[in-house]
Every structure is written in structure tokens, then in C-alpha cells.
Amino acid sequence: MAIAHEYEYFAPASLFEATQILSQFGKKAAPLAGGTDLIVFIKEGMITPAAVIDLKRVKDLKALEIKAEGLFLGANTTFSDLVNSQIIKREYRLLWESAHSVASVGIRNRATVVGNICSAIPSMDAAPALLCYDAVVHLISLGSEREVPIQQWFVAPRKTLRKPDEIVAGISLKKPADKHAGIYLKLGRYKGEDLAQAGLGILVTEKWEYRLAFCAVAPIPARASSIEGLLFGKKLNPELILQVQNLIPTEIAPINDIRSSARYRTHICKVMMQRGLPAAVDRLNGVEIDNTGILGG
Ligand SMILES: Cc1cc2nc3c(=O)[nH]c(=O)nc-3n(C[C@H](O)[C@H](O)[C@H](O)COP(=O)(O)OP(=O)(O)OC[C@H]3O[C@@H](n4cnc5c(N)ncnc54)[C@H](O)[C@@H]3O)c2cc1C
């Protein structure tokens, strides 16, 4: 499908320049990172921007830095940047696995993590990991900066707390202080470029603190706080896993759509929990588990 809509195209070289252009156009402008969502939105007439601000030439946005306080991902960080990083694979396994699950190499080479959370489609794969790592979104506009915890970022499907004159400069992630391990489970209809029917991120620490977050089974991705509360401080056993599974329907609100029925999504979340929790604990105990495939794929 061709793009039937005309817009001005800008390719600023600096973040300052980008915020200047954005301040002129406001709501009528759309920042472009990888374009894997934006171009589809424009082609389908879902949005009709007067200006597209291509951020790819802004070098400051291409950062993947491990700092004392955690990991910083600049807005131009692609899923391939994460998949190709041995440090991410070793230190932020849950994030690495969610990046690996996105579409195909071609899409991952262009698609950014920040574009993923700005599109804010309910099935976005980056969200469970970012929620489990207590990520913070860094926003910049002409003359001001602010930070938003990821738990508050998602407002509704395709709606975030980003204001029209703001650019997301990057995301920072914090790991739990204690030894921990994580896993990402994704159900898709087939191997290849399919969005999640359901996704679950799990982090567990040696002090038995559990962090869990779903995507694709509610209007916005979110942490499963009642399950986290039930599990807190406890070692896993089959009865506890059953109790967790029984709580799942209170934590999710799946819909029927072309990808799946609500009933199947609920069932598969229980299966993911049954497999994912022991697998995360096994990893905590040093067991190497291969998990780069997509369930159902
Ligand atoms: C074939 C195909 C398969 C896909 N499979 C998956 C999948 O498996 N999992 C998944 O999660 N997603 C998938 N997607 C969706 C898409 O690839 C992701 O959402 C991607 O992460 C979007 O990133 P992007 O850099 O391409 O964003 P863009 O398309 O450039 O932008 C997306 C949105 O974010 C805004 N934006 C981008 N950067 C910024 C910024 N720095 N500041 C403010 N706003 C910004 C744009 O204006 C736009 O509204 C798929 C898409 C396609 C086409």
C-alpha cells in the first residue's frame, strides 16, 4: 500500500534541533525511529502528520550504556542492538529474550525499544521486561526534561503519558540488588513476524522476591501485583503454583480478537506461569535453559 498522505520530512542532526521542530508542529508532528509502526499507521490513514521528524541521525540517541545505577538505552537502540549484546544477554536476560522474540531480523534491525513503548500496542514485547526492571522513561522537550516510571507510562491502548512536544530520549533500567534470574515467554500463532497472543516476563531473586508482568492480555501491559504479593518470600511448590494460576483471571482482562480468544489467552497464561516460574528458579540455581523459541510457533 502506498503512502497517500503528504507531510514535511525533517532529519535533524541533534536532539535540540529535533525538539525545536517538534515545538513548532506539536500534535501535528510524528517522531520516526525505525518507522516499522509509524509508516504502517500513516499508510493505513490512522494518523496524518503534517511533519515526520526522523530521529535516526541524532547520534546522542544511539546509546547502550551500563552505568553504576543501571542500564541506559538511548531512543535509537534497536532490538537487534540488544540481541547482539553479550552484556544484555548475560545481565538482562529477560530483556534480551523479549528482544529476541520480536518479529524477524529485518524488523529487529530497525525497530527500537522506545518506538515499541511509544506505539503502546497492548501486545508490545518490550513492556514486560521494562516493567520487571522498574524502567524509567526519560523525556525531553524544548527547555525541559522529565522522567516517568514505566508503571505509569501506559494509559490506554496506544496512549501514553508522552506530551506532543516531547521526545523520548531513552529508558533506564534497574536490576534487583540481589542475585536474580529472569525469563520471557511469548505465545504466537506461528514462527516469524507475529505479535504476541500472550506474553509473560518473570524475574525472581534469591530472597524469593518475584516480579511478573503480562502483555497482550489486558488493555495495557502491567505488573501482576496480587501474584507478586502471594509469592513474596516463598519458595515455589506445586500447590503455590496452583494458587498463582487461580489468581491469573483477576490480574488479566484478555479480549477475543483475530489472534486468539480470551479463554485461550487465559489458559495459556496459566501454562506460561506453570512453565515459567520453575524455569526462572532453575536459572537462579545456575541451570542453563534454552528459551529463544516462541510457544505455539
Ligand atoms: C511485520 C511486523 C512485525 C512486528 N512484530 C512485532 C513483535 O513481534 N513484537 C512487537 O512488540 N512489535 C512488533 N511489531 C511492531 C513494531 O515493530 C514495534 O512496535 C517497534 O518496536 C516500533 O519501533 P520503531 O522504532 O519502528 O518505531 P516507529 O515506527 O518509528 O514509531 C512508533 C511510534 O513511536 C513514536 N516514536 C518513535 N520514537 C520516538 C521517540 N524517540 N520519542 C517520541 N515518540 C517516538 C512514533 O511517532 C510512532 O508513533 C511488528 C511490526 C511489523 C511491521
Side-chain angles (χ1 to χ4, degrees), residues 30-41 47 55 61 75 79 101-103 107 110-116 118-119 121 123-126 162 166-169 186 193-196:
L32 180 145
T36 61
D37 275 332
L38 185 65
I39 299 302
V40 178
F41 299 159
I47 57 166
L55 301 172
L61 297 181
F79 286 109
S101 80
V102 171
I107 295 286
R110 290 201 59 93
T112 61
V113 182
V114 163
N116 202 237
C118 287
S119 283
I121 51 167
S123 59
M124 76 198 100
D125 282 305
R162 183 178 88 86
E166 288 178 320
I167 287 175
V168 177
K186 172 176 176 175
E193 294 178 339
D194 194 24
L195 297 173

Side-chain angles (χ1 to χ4, degrees), residues 61-93:
L61 297 181
K62 187 82 180 173
L64 193 164
E65 293 164 6
I66 309 269
K67 299 178 176 177
E69 59 274 20
L71 170 69
F72 182 79
L73 302 176
N76 281 343
T77 305
T78 63
F79 286 109
S80 287
D81 291 332
L82 297 181
V83 170
N84 296 333
S85 163
Q86 287 306 310
I87 297 178
I88 301 296
K89 186 175 181 184
R90 200 176 56 238
E91 306 279 331
Y92 291 86
R93 186 65 173 260

Side-chain angles (χ1 to χ4, degrees), residues 15-30:
L15 198 47
F16 176 69
E17 207 187 317
T19 54
Q20 268 185 326
I21 303 166
L22 198 52
S23 75
Q24 285 164 29
F25 285 90
K27 266 188 188 156
K28 292 184 179 154

Side-chain angles (χ1 to χ4, degrees), residues 124-201:
M124 76 198 100
D125 282 305
L130 297 179
L131 285 158
C132 286
Y133 289 115
D134 283 335
V136 172
V137 183
H138 299 255
L139 294 135
I140 185 157
S141 59
L142 199 58
S144 70
E145 293 181 24
R146 69 180 179 123
E147 296 176 357
V148 176
I150 193 82
Q151 311 238 26
Q152 294 161 22
W153 174 250
F154 304 109
V155 175
R158 299 179 188 277
K159 284 206 169 38
T160 69
L161 281 186
R162 183 178 88 86
K163 294 178 191 153
D165 65 341
E166 288 178 320
I167 287 175
V168 177
I171 318 169
S172 51
L173 286 77
K174 287 187 264 321
K175 285 192 296 190
D178 303 308
K179 184 183 164 199
H180 61 279
I183 192 162
Y184 182 62
L185 296 108
K186 172 176 176 175
L187 177 77
R189 290 168 299 177
Y190 43 79
K191 279 191 171 53
E193 294 178 339
D194 194 24
L195 297 173
Q197 290 167 293
L200 170 63

